[in-house]
mmCIF file of all heavy atoms in Angstrom:
data_model
loop_
_atom_site.group_PDB
_atom_site.id
_atom_site.type_symbol
_atom_site.label_atom_id
_atom_site.label_comp_id
_atom_site.label_asym_id
_atom_site.label_seq_id
_atom_site.Cartn_x
_atom_site.Cartn_y
_atom_site.Cartn_z
ATOM 1 N N ARG R 1 -14.994 3.943 10.389
ATOM 2 C CA ARG R 1 -14.398 4.048 9.098
ATOM 3 C C ARG R 1 -14.229 5.548 8.722
ATOM 4 O O ARG R 1 -14.954 6.463 9.005
ATOM 5 C CB ARG R 1 -15.331 3.373 8.045
ATOM 6 C CG ARG R 1 -14.724 3.298 6.694
ATOM 7 C CD ARG R 1 -15.600 2.521 5.706
ATOM 8 N NE ARG R 1 -15.457 1.153 6.059
ATOM 9 C CZ ARG R 1 -14.597 0.333 5.578
ATOM 10 N NH1 ARG R 1 -13.639 0.790 4.735
ATOM 11 N NH2 ARG R 1 -14.496 -0.864 5.911
ATOM 12 N N VAL R 2 -12.964 5.750 8.116
ATOM 13 C CA VAL R 2 -12.653 7.106 7.628
ATOM 14 C C VAL R 2 -12.758 7.111 6.086
ATOM 15 O O VAL R 2 -12.491 6.145 5.485
ATOM 16 C CB VAL R 2 -11.201 7.450 8.082
ATOM 17 C CG1 VAL R 2 -11.201 7.703 9.565
ATOM 18 C CG2 VAL R 2 -10.157 6.561 7.605
ATOM 19 N N ASN R 3 -13.092 8.281 5.645
ATOM 20 C CA ASN R 3 -13.328 8.462 4.137
ATOM 21 C C ASN R 3 -11.863 8.444 3.448
ATOM 22 O O ASN R 3 -10.939 8.994 3.960
ATOM 23 C CB ASN R 3 -13.989 9.703 3.831
ATOM 24 C CG ASN R 3 -15.387 9.710 4.328
ATOM 25 O OD1 ASN R 3 -16.079 8.633 4.283
ATOM 26 N ND2 ASN R 3 -15.880 10.833 4.661
ATOM 27 N N GLU R 4 -11.839 7.816 2.331
ATOM 28 C CA GLU R 4 -10.620 7.658 1.586
ATOM 29 C C GLU R 4 -10.486 9.069 0.791
ATOM 30 O O GLU R 4 -11.377 9.636 0.152
ATOM 31 C CB GLU R 4 -10.719 6.558 0.485
ATOM 32 C CG GLU R 4 -9.441 6.335 -0.340
ATOM 33 C CD GLU R 4 -9.517 5.255 -1.232
ATOM 34 O OE1 GLU R 4 -10.258 4.249 -0.836
ATOM 35 O OE2 GLU R 4 -9.036 5.329 -2.400
ATOM 36 N N THR R 5 -9.181 9.523 0.727
ATOM 37 C CA THR R 5 -8.877 10.909 0.149
ATOM 38 C C THR R 5 -7.791 10.733 -0.872
ATOM 39 O O THR R 5 -7.158 9.527 -1.003
ATOM 40 C CB THR R 5 -8.517 11.900 1.187
ATOM 41 O OG1 THR R 5 -7.268 11.526 1.827
ATOM 42 C CG2 THR R 5 -9.570 12.008 2.268
ATOM 43 N N VAL R 6 -7.378 11.741 -1.440
ATOM 44 C CA VAL R 6 -6.223 11.780 -2.418
ATOM 45 C C VAL R 6 -4.953 11.299 -1.731
ATOM 46 O O VAL R 6 -4.087 10.540 -2.338
ATOM 47 C CB VAL R 6 -6.083 13.043 -3.171
ATOM 48 C CG1 VAL R 6 -4.855 13.050 -4.025
ATOM 49 C CG2 VAL R 6 -7.440 13.411 -3.850
ATOM 50 N N GLY R 7 -4.801 11.790 -0.417
ATOM 51 C CA GLY R 7 -3.582 11.409 0.228
ATOM 52 C C GLY R 7 -3.547 10.079 0.932
ATOM 53 O O GLY R 7 -2.517 9.700 1.459
ATOM 54 N N THR R 8 -4.627 9.243 0.835
ATOM 55 C CA THR R 8 -4.674 7.881 1.369
ATOM 56 C C THR R 8 -3.689 6.984 0.727
ATOM 57 O O THR R 8 -3.703 6.908 -0.588
ATOM 58 C CB THR R 8 -6.100 7.307 1.434
ATOM 59 O OG1 THR R 8 -6.922 8.217 2.035
ATOM 60 C CG2 THR R 8 -6.003 5.994 1.986
ATOM 61 N N LEU R 9 -2.842 6.264 1.390
ATOM 62 C CA LEU R 9 -1.966 5.299 0.886
ATOM 63 C C LEU R 9 -2.759 4.175 0.384
ATOM 64 O O LEU R 9 -3.525 3.428 1.065
ATOM 65 C CB LEU R 9 -0.923 4.876 1.894
ATOM 66 C CG LEU R 9 -0.028 3.712 1.395
ATOM 67 C CD1 LEU R 9 0.946 4.193 0.347
ATOM 68 C CD2 LEU R 9 0.803 3.122 2.686
ATOM 69 N N ARG R 10 -2.569 3.782 -0.989
ATOM 70 C CA ARG R 10 -3.261 2.617 -1.511
ATOM 71 C C ARG R 10 -2.458 1.366 -1.179
ATOM 72 O O ARG R 10 -1.230 1.405 -1.342
ATOM 73 C CB ARG R 10 -3.326 2.791 -3.058
ATOM 74 C CG ARG R 10 -4.244 3.820 -3.542
ATOM 75 C CD ARG R 10 -4.435 3.741 -5.066
ATOM 76 N NE ARG R 10 -4.985 2.459 -5.402
ATOM 77 C CZ ARG R 10 -5.188 2.158 -6.624
ATOM 78 N NH1 ARG R 10 -4.939 2.895 -7.626
ATOM 79 N NH2 ARG R 10 -5.789 0.951 -6.921
ATOM 80 N N THR R 11 -3.172 0.395 -0.716
ATOM 81 C CA THR R 11 -2.589 -0.890 -0.334
ATOM 82 C C THR R 11 -3.051 -1.967 -1.198
ATOM 83 O O THR R 11 -3.003 -3.182 -0.866
ATOM 84 C CB THR R 11 -2.912 -1.207 1.170
ATOM 85 O OG1 THR R 11 -4.372 -1.264 1.258
ATOM 86 C CG2 THR R 11 -2.308 -0.171 2.045
ATOM 87 N N ASP R 12 -3.439 -1.711 -2.470
ATOM 88 C CA ASP R 12 -4.026 -2.738 -3.383
ATOM 89 C C ASP R 12 -3.327 -2.593 -4.703
ATOM 90 O O ASP R 12 -3.924 -3.126 -5.673
ATOM 91 C CB ASP R 12 -5.469 -2.676 -3.524
ATOM 92 C CG ASP R 12 -5.931 -1.256 -4.011
ATOM 93 O OD1 ASP R 12 -5.028 -0.313 -4.320
ATOM 94 O OD2 ASP R 12 -7.125 -1.087 -4.201
ATOM 95 N N ASN R 13 -2.004 -2.041 -4.786
ATOM 96 C CA ASN R 13 -1.432 -1.959 -6.111
ATOM 97 C C ASN R 13 -0.033 -2.647 -6.138
ATOM 98 O O ASN R 13 0.441 -3.115 -5.080
ATOM 99 C CB ASN R 13 -1.266 -0.446 -6.572
ATOM 100 C CG ASN R 13 -0.631 0.393 -5.551
ATOM 101 O OD1 ASN R 13 0.053 -0.132 -4.611
ATOM 102 N ND2 ASN R 13 -0.917 1.691 -5.614
ATOM 103 N N VAL R 14 0.662 -2.603 -7.286
ATOM 104 C CA VAL R 14 1.844 -3.171 -7.346
ATOM 105 C C VAL R 14 3.000 -2.545 -6.487
ATOM 106 O O VAL R 14 3.827 -3.246 -5.911
ATOM 107 C CB VAL R 14 2.461 -3.136 -8.862
ATOM 108 C CG1 VAL R 14 3.864 -3.684 -9.071
ATOM 109 C CG2 VAL R 14 1.414 -3.948 -9.724
ATOM 110 N N VAL R 15 2.977 -1.274 -6.409
ATOM 111 C CA VAL R 15 3.924 -0.493 -5.685
ATOM 112 C C VAL R 15 3.801 -0.870 -4.125
ATOM 113 O O VAL R 15 4.952 -1.212 -3.592
ATOM 114 C CB VAL R 15 3.630 1.112 -5.689
ATOM 115 C CG1 VAL R 15 4.558 1.831 -4.694
ATOM 116 C CG2 VAL R 15 3.931 1.512 -7.147
ATOM 117 N N PHE R 16 2.713 -1.081 -3.589
ATOM 118 C CA PHE R 16 2.588 -1.528 -2.237
ATOM 119 C C PHE R 16 2.977 -2.923 -2.063
ATOM 120 O O PHE R 16 3.627 -3.379 -1.076
ATOM 121 C CB PHE R 16 1.142 -1.307 -1.620
ATOM 122 C CG PHE R 16 1.092 -1.690 -0.158
ATOM 123 C CD1 PHE R 16 1.496 -0.685 0.704
ATOM 124 C CD2 PHE R 16 0.637 -2.797 0.277
ATOM 125 C CE1 PHE R 16 1.521 -0.943 2.088
ATOM 126 C CE2 PHE R 16 0.551 -3.047 1.674
ATOM 127 C CZ PHE R 16 0.941 -2.154 2.507
ATOM 128 N N THR R 17 2.799 -3.769 -3.088
ATOM 129 C CA THR R 17 3.232 -5.158 -3.085
ATOM 130 C C THR R 17 4.687 -5.215 -2.843
ATOM 131 O O THR R 17 5.288 -6.035 -2.124
ATOM 132 C CB THR R 17 2.818 -5.876 -4.295
ATOM 133 O OG1 THR R 17 1.389 -5.914 -4.435
ATOM 134 C CG2 THR R 17 3.286 -7.276 -4.258
ATOM 135 N N LEU R 18 5.409 -4.422 -3.700
ATOM 136 C CA LEU R 18 6.866 -4.314 -3.637
ATOM 137 C C LEU R 18 7.373 -3.809 -2.308
ATOM 138 O O LEU R 18 8.371 -4.298 -1.719
ATOM 139 C CB LEU R 18 7.524 -3.564 -4.813
ATOM 140 C CG LEU R 18 7.212 -4.126 -6.121
ATOM 141 C CD1 LEU R 18 7.761 -3.239 -7.231
ATOM 142 C CD2 LEU R 18 7.724 -5.556 -6.340
ATOM 143 N N ILE R 19 6.710 -2.824 -1.767
ATOM 144 C CA ILE R 19 6.960 -2.218 -0.388
ATOM 145 C C ILE R 19 6.901 -3.414 0.645
ATOM 146 O O ILE R 19 7.725 -3.482 1.438
ATOM 147 C CB ILE R 19 6.148 -0.999 -0.102
ATOM 148 C CG1 ILE R 19 6.492 0.140 -1.082
ATOM 149 C CG2 ILE R 19 6.243 -0.676 1.361
ATOM 150 C CD1 ILE R 19 5.497 1.278 -0.901
ATOM 151 N N LEU R 20 5.818 -4.067 0.594
ATOM 152 C CA LEU R 20 5.585 -5.204 1.533
ATOM 153 C C LEU R 20 6.706 -6.230 1.507
ATOM 154 O O LEU R 20 7.281 -6.659 2.538
ATOM 155 C CB LEU R 20 4.230 -5.793 1.226
ATOM 156 C CG LEU R 20 3.774 -6.927 2.234
ATOM 157 C CD1 LEU R 20 3.836 -6.433 3.668
ATOM 158 C CD2 LEU R 20 2.353 -7.413 1.837
ATOM 159 N N VAL R 21 7.118 -6.589 0.290
ATOM 160 C CA VAL R 21 8.237 -7.587 0.183
ATOM 161 C C VAL R 21 9.467 -7.103 0.712
ATOM 162 O O VAL R 21 10.186 -7.782 1.502
ATOM 163 C CB VAL R 21 8.431 -7.947 -1.347
ATOM 164 C CG1 VAL R 21 9.698 -8.816 -1.512
ATOM 165 C CG2 VAL R 21 7.205 -8.674 -1.863
ATOM 166 N N PHE R 22 9.816 -5.810 0.441
ATOM 167 C CA PHE R 22 10.998 -5.203 1.023
ATOM 168 C C PHE R 22 11.030 -5.077 2.568
ATOM 169 O O PHE R 22 11.998 -5.302 3.207
ATOM 170 C CB PHE R 22 11.312 -3.814 0.433
ATOM 171 C CG PHE R 22 11.945 -3.868 -0.982
ATOM 172 C CD1 PHE R 22 11.172 -3.653 -2.059
ATOM 173 C CD2 PHE R 22 13.255 -4.357 -1.058
ATOM 174 C CE1 PHE R 22 11.835 -3.697 -3.407
ATOM 175 C CE2 PHE R 22 13.919 -4.433 -2.384
ATOM 176 C CZ PHE R 22 13.201 -4.180 -3.479
ATOM 177 N N VAL R 23 9.800 -4.718 3.151
ATOM 178 C CA VAL R 23 9.742 -4.674 4.599
ATOM 179 C C VAL R 23 9.904 -5.984 5.213
ATOM 180 O O VAL R 23 10.690 -6.073 6.239
ATOM 181 C CB VAL R 23 8.306 -4.087 4.877
ATOM 182 C CG1 VAL R 23 8.013 -4.283 6.379
ATOM 183 C CG2 VAL R 23 8.179 -2.625 4.528
ATOM 184 N N VAL R 24 9.371 -7.088 4.624
ATOM 185 C CA VAL R 24 9.557 -8.357 5.208
ATOM 186 C C VAL R 24 10.962 -8.825 5.163
ATOM 187 O O VAL R 24 11.631 -9.164 6.228
ATOM 188 C CB VAL R 24 8.702 -9.479 4.413
ATOM 189 C CG1 VAL R 24 9.104 -10.774 4.766
ATOM 190 C CG2 VAL R 24 7.282 -9.159 4.597
ATOM 191 N N TYR R 25 11.671 -8.576 3.960
ATOM 192 C CA TYR R 25 13.069 -8.936 3.936
ATOM 193 C C TYR R 25 14.013 -8.058 4.778
ATOM 194 O O TYR R 25 14.930 -8.555 5.386
ATOM 195 C CB TYR R 25 13.603 -8.747 2.412
ATOM 196 C CG TYR R 25 13.313 -9.981 1.637
ATOM 197 C CD1 TYR R 25 12.650 -10.023 0.327
ATOM 198 C CD2 TYR R 25 13.638 -11.320 2.013
ATOM 199 C CE1 TYR R 25 12.455 -11.127 -0.369
ATOM 200 C CE2 TYR R 25 13.311 -12.484 1.230
ATOM 201 C CZ TYR R 25 12.756 -12.263 0.115
ATOM 202 O OH TYR R 25 12.564 -13.373 -0.689
#
């Protein structure tokens, strides 16, 4: 496991949800 930093991409918010939908489509 690596430590989470300020530059770590969050995968638990609305922005990533929309990114995921667009990637699938």
Side-chain angles (χ1 to χ4, degrees):
R1 181 173 292 274
V2 296
N3 294 326
E4 184 176 327
T5 66
V6 176
T8 301
L9 174 69
R10 290 190 60 184
T11 57
D12 59 357
N13 55 19
V14 175
V15 174
F16 187 78
T17 299
L18 297 177
I19 290 173
L20 180 56
V21 171
F22 279 110
V23 166
V24 171
Y25 275 133

